[in-house]
Amino acid sequence: MQNNKNEIWAFLASVKLALFTFFALAITSIIGTVIEQGKDMAYYVERFGPGTAKFFQILNVPNMYSSWWFISMLVLFSLNLLVCTIDRFPNIWRLVNLDNLALELDRILKMPKRQVFKSQLSAAELHQEIEKALPGLSWKFESAELDGGRLFAAQKGNWTRLGVIMVHVSILVIFAGAIIGAAFGYKGFVMIPEGRSVKQIYAYDANRTEIPLDFSLRCDRFVLELYDTGAPKEFLSDLVVVKDGQEVLKQSIEVNDPLHYGGLTFYQSSYEAYDEVVLEIENGTSKAKKKFIVGIGEQVVWPEEHLTLGVVNRMGSRMAAFARGQVWLKSGEAEPVQFWVNSGQSALIERPTGNYVLTLRPLYATGLQVTRDPGVWYVYIGCMLMLVGLYVAFFLSHRKIWLYISGSGSGSTLHVAGASNKNKLGFENDFAALIDNLEQSGTLKLTKE
Amino acid sequence: MTSSLLFGIITFTYLAASFLYIGGFIFRSQKAGLVASVLTGLSFLVQTGAIALRWKESYSMGYGHAPMSNMYESLVFFSWAIVIFYMFIEYKFKNRLLGAFAVPFAFLSMALASLTGDEIKPLIPALQSNWLIAHVMTCFVGYAAFAVACGMGIMYLIKSTYDEKADRKGASLLATLPPLSVIDDITHKTIVFGFLWLSAGIITGAIWANSAWGTYWSWDPKETWSLITWFLYAAALHARFTKGWGGKRIAWLAIIGFLAVVFTYYGVNYLLSGLHSYGSSG
């Protein structure tokens, strides 16, 4: 039983399993990029025939990235990462905290980089001089007696051995964030016509389930800007959050610049043109303003100014469904006038009762994507940890240096040894610099052997 | 002088540099290699200037965006990244013969760009973000490293095949190439470097997607293929670090990995549909 358990553990910790899941995930992922995802069954029947479509349905190919078999592979991948990390951590931790003075002399003197010096000084004198010279080196040494001689040891970057652990843990953190998001978050959408408010959004499911909000969201304005080519330049919505009758937040949002409120994020995602027209009119003298949303043929009144007006006709163009509108306006008892106004442009109207500036534009509803994702910060933290971990794991190394003084009588021997777990070339330079430093120091009286 | 014209000229100078590097390798001419290096360096400077000019042109057209927004601009940037990365390798390893296996990629990228529309177009709202520059730069630094790794892989396979055959004529020609262990080391280091940047590219893309659409990962074909590429290189690195894989196997993985890169970058736009489909409009 114990043996079985060990075998399963070893399997789950193995690199073989990691390589298998890498290739398995890579190859199966291709399916969903070739077969379009998330379509109706009818689509698959038409394209692949009823037999294949049935087979697709059984394996949930139309939503393969959330199918039981793909999720199982991701679970296996996570388990592999987790077990491998737990399995290797003690050994890595031991290497991080290894006492470099506790090594056997034989092993130290056989390190990949080494240099032997003879000194005219006695061992005791050399020891003294080295103690004086050490602070000038870029290494921090500790020392101890060993086999009748004196051993100095220094290291840099022992913690960099944790880089690989950081990378592995980062992937688990990202997965945890994704799971939190899937379990406690949701995605929905809502359309808000300009000038109106909503108190609920709709989930992205077959029933368009209503999700109530504990505040209401109003769209004061929606602007669609186009380039000369007719391609969209910007969608912009002025949103107002109203809670308990109070305007608590006012913000303009555009694509790439969402609104955050109450754990929800509202993204500008689409728009829909309505048949109504937004008509704004301002008294040129008193600066009094009024905004109407009118249907074609509908009549509205601005009683303070004794105005009756409406849009009686509209024209579209190649680029827009509403390009201009014909306004009918009656001021007081004067004869009514009719004139055309281009969408988005203002018209100046002079009437006996006063001057007015009038603008027309089509009414839009802004389309908002709504997301609640309490896991996203875990995902971001995981991503940062991954980048830092990759950098540490690949580009920083654990380097060690030893000095060993031995000898009796008038002369002595200095052994210098070093090792690095990565970036051997860089370490070679470090080591050569140290050797030069020691050799050129007059007080040590060293000659290379 | 327009940026498009300069890019057209650079396409030819990179072609010439490629021939010089290859010629220098085949005829063992130091001089050709030196001329190739100088030509590559000069072309690179002009290309850098042309990218800046294109940036300025987009401002004077009233669009004002970094020249990284469509297939044409990304191919130009790809070749730019390959060259700067290669020049660093040439300097670091003091070997000009490597150019014969790297600079042709820069030429091919420019040649591909010349087949693509070079118009400067305004950015659609989804692309108007500072993440555009971060995302494109990180991805393409990674892709450039993978392109060079692929070149090194090809070099390794050619040299090791001749070494096995002990073909005298070939062997003497290939003796000028760095030893197999050095090529293997460069390939590996280049993959490591590329992997870090590919990871950063995927992450910046995810953060951007989240700020634009509220979803950091949606399994669209581009994302999925970048992940497939990531898995392939992750496999290569694990095989090397823990199983001691090297030599031909890593050389092959460098080539296969780069094919996945090319598909992620180029193939997906034309063969599959998805969020990144605006990349093909260029």
Side-chain angles (χ1 to χ4, degrees), chain B residues 63-208:
Chain B
Y63 302 146
H65 60 79
M68 296 175 183
S69 68
N70 58 17
M71 187 46 93
Y72 177 84
E73 291 172 348
S74 71
L75 281 165
V76 168
F77 186 72
F78 185 30
S79 96
W80 183 88
I82 291 172
V83 172
I84 190 169
F85 186 73
Y86 163 69
M87 289 196 304
F88 172 74
I89 297 273
E90 180 181 300
Y91 167 77
K92 184 105 179 164
F93 291 88
K94 308 267 179 277
N95 193 319
R96 291 220 164 83
L97 301 173
L98 304 175
F101 297 86
V103 176
F105 286 113
F107 159 69
L108 284 175
S109 186
M110 289 303 292
L112 218 48
S114 69
L115 301 175
T116 318
D118 67 349
E119 249 181 291
I120 298 180
K121 286 196 179 148
L123 284 188
I124 61 165
L127 290 182
Q128 293 167 17
S129 165
N130 289 331
W131 287 105
L132 173 70
I133 298 177
H135 178 56
V136 173
M137 278 206 169
T138 47
C139 284
F140 280 95
V141 172
Y143 290 177
F146 291 142
V148 172
C150 172
M152 297 301 114
I154 293 169
M155 184 198 273
Y156 187 97
L157 290 177
I158 292 173
K159 182 160 165 123
S160 68
T161 308
Y162 273 94
D163 279 6
E164 277 162 21
K165 281 189 193 159
D167 179 324
R168 266 222 191 125
K169 204 172 152 213
S172 68
L173 172 62
L174 291 159
T176 52
L177 288 178
L180 285 177
S181 61
V182 173
I183 306 176
D184 182 58
D185 187 46
I186 300 176
T187 312
H188 167 67
K189 282 183 174 149
T190 313
I191 289 178
V192 162
F193 182 81
F195 188 72
L196 178 65
W197 287 98
L198 174 65
S199 308
I202 294 175
I203 288 171
T204 50
I207 296 174
W208 182 10

Side-chain angles (χ1 to χ4, degrees), chain A residues 12-13 17 74-85 172:
Chain A
L12 286 176
L17 178 63
L74 289 175
V75 169
L76 188 66
F77 178 57
S78 318
L79 211 57
N80 181 213
L81 269 170
L82 185 68
V83 174
C84 157
T85 306
L172 293 171

Side-chain angles (χ1 to χ4, degrees), chain A residues 32-92:
Chain A
T33 67
V34 180
I35 298 168
E36 260 202 79
Q37 297 288 292
K39 297 270 180 193
D40 289 336
M41 243 4 248
Y43 168 86
Y44 300 100
V45 173
E46 192 197 324
R47 285 209 70 169
F48 302 95
T52 317
K54 183 80 197 154
F55 175 71
F56 279 4
Q57 196 175 19
I58 292 165
L59 287 181
N60 200 7
V61 171
N63 292 297
M64 71 149 278
Y65 300 107
S66 50
S67 68
W68 59 269
W69 54 271
F70 193 76
I71 298 287
S72 305
M73 280 200 293
L74 289 175
V75 169
L76 188 66
F77 178 57
S78 318
L79 211 57
N80 181 213
L81 269 170
L82 185 68
V83 174
C84 157
T85 306
I86 295 172
D87 195 56
R88 276 152 225 237
F89 185 73
N91 195 33
I92 291 175

